[in-house]
Amino acid sequence: MPLEPLSQKEIEDRLAELPGWSLDGDRIARSYRLPSHFAATAMVVHIAQVQEELDHHSDLTLGYNTVSLTVNTHTVGAVTERDFDLAGKIEALAPGHGAH
């Protein structure tokens, strides 16, 4: 079954379940603050590992003690259920890195 873009209502409903995430154009986005550059770097590596396992990748930015990402399904050019699956997995791993 091909991936379908989510409706605005579906996106809003799903974002309500993911505090800190927001809609940014045709993507969902989130930034995290971490206790150090090393912690931020470790979180980026962990996110990259999850993305490889899912074969679904975000645009990921590493700052001194921040990690920012935007996610959409590039082949669809919109937000799909797959993006929320990735966001949920990132939310689950973030506390282990001290992210908030």
Side-chain angles (χ1 to χ4, degrees), residues 17-55:
E17 300 169 8
L18 289 171
W21 287 82
S22 62
L23 185 62
D24 183 11
D26 65 348
R27 301 166 178 269
I28 55 173
R30 172 82 152 93
S31 291
Y32 296 92
R33 182 168 300 279
L34 292 101
S36 67
H37 181 67
F38 186 82
T41 302
M43 184 169 164
V44 166
V45 171
H46 199 168
I47 291 170
Q49 179 183 22
V50 169
Q51 292 179 146
E52 283 297 304
E53 290 167 3
L54 295 176
D55 191 28

Side-chain angles (χ1 to χ4, degrees), residues 62-75:
L62 171 65
Y64 169 71
N65 66 340
T66 59
V67 174
S68 301
L69 57 145
T70 60
V71 185
N72 80 347
T73 303
H74 301 288
T75 57

